[in-house]
């Protein structure tokens, strides 16, 4: 697992530091096919598949991949063909996912503030997180499903959240005020 995470982090760094991030993966304005062989298309494309797998779950993702392969064996394909196979396999509308990750530039950049809101004495409280998407204005506001981890060690608490606005507030109930550690998408 450590090796996998290390390789994913190297790939992520290639993506977020690439000069190609201001262009979408699907880039009909680019007429030089060799210019499409870049960090935006390959490492980011790999991350998009990885995120789609996380969104759909392994069973559904691989069923969609098999469907896509079987339908298009020995034929030319379009992104829309892959979208259709994944929607058929999952029974979900995935247009939002493909729109933001394939047809739009960039990636989300998050800023997080936290505030402890105590309940009556001895009854814990809530940690209110304010999560802001701080990417450039010409990039979209992303819809992202992820875990947030609050605290450390045995006192850590994870909660699944969805961020889909420029600013999202989330409250996480806690037995006691946690250590100041807040980690978005710890995995």
């Amino acid at each position: 697992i450590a090796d996998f995470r290390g390789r994913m982090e190297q790939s992520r760094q290639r993506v977020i530091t690439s000069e190609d991030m201001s262009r979408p993966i699907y880039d009909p304005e680019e007429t030089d096919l060799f210019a499409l062989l870049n960090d935006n298309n390959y490492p980011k494309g790999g991350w998009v598949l990885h995120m789609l797998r996380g969104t759909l779950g392994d069973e559904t993702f691989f069923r969609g991949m098999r469907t896509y392969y079987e339908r298009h064996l020995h034929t030319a394909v379009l992104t829309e063909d892959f979208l259709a196979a994944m929607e058929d396999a999952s029974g979900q509308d995935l247009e939002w996912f493909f729109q933001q990750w394939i047809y739009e530039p960039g990636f989300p950049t998050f800023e997080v503030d936290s505030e402890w809101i105590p309940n009556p004495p001895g009854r814990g409280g809530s940690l209110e997180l304010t999560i802001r998407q701080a990417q450039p204005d010409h990039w979209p506001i992303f819809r992202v499903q992820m875990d947030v981890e609050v605290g450390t060690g045995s006192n850590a608490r994870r909660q699944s959240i969805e961020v889909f606005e420029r600013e999202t507030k989330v409250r996480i109930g806690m037995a006691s005020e946690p250590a100041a550690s807040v980690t978005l998408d710890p995995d």
Side-chain angles (χ1 to χ4, degrees), residues 12-129:
R12 187 180 78 82
Q13 287 300 320
R14 271 182 74 184
V15 170
I16 66 173
T17 60
S18 170
E19 294 176 9
D20 298 308
M21 278 299 104
S22 64
R23 303 194 71 127
I25 290 176
Y26 176 79
D27 191 355
E29 292 180 20
E30 182 58 66
T31 57
D32 178 2
L33 296 180
F34 288 104
L36 293 173
L37 304 175
N38 60 47
D39 289 335
N40 196 33
N41 289 354
Y42 284 91
K44 184 179 177 185
W47 269 101
V48 169
L49 287 174
H50 183 67
M51 291 183 295
L52 182 61
R53 180 179 172 190
T55 298
L56 298 178
D58 286 350
E59 183 179 326
T60 301
F61 176 80
F62 287 114
R63 183 173 55 247
M65 292 296 287
R66 283 189 299 276
T67 298
Y68 176 69
Y69 179 77
E70 291 165 0
R71 284 181 187 170
H72 303 288
L73 183 63
H74 306 300
T75 64
V77 293
L78 300 171
T79 303
E80 292 81 7
D81 298 323
F82 184 63
L83 169 61
M86 289 302 183
E87 286 183 334
D88 289 349
S90 67
Q92 297 179 40
D93 175 5
L94 296 171
E95 182 66 35
W96 66 271
F97 183 92
F98 280 70
Q99 182 61 42
Q100 72 184 16
W101 293 112
I102 304 292
Y103 299 109
E104 297 285 344
F107 52 88
T109 303
F110 298 111
E111 295 174 350
V112 181
D113 290 320
S114 62
E115 178 185 358
W116 176 249
I117 302 170
N119 289 337
R123 297 196 177 192
S126 298
L127 188 67
E128 183 176 84
L129 303 177

Side-chain angles (χ1 to χ4, degrees), residues 124-159:
S126 298
L127 188 67
E128 183 176 84
L129 303 177
T130 302
I131 304 165
R132 284 180 212 81
Q133 292 196 41
Q135 61 269 18
D137 289 336
H138 64 280
W139 291 1
I141 300 299
F142 288 84
R143 175 179 166 188
V144 181
Q145 299 166 338
M146 66 180 140
D147 285 348
V148 61
E149 185 173 271
V150 176
T152 57
S154 62
N155 294 329
R157 166 119 189 255
R158 279 192 183 204
Q159 182 168 317

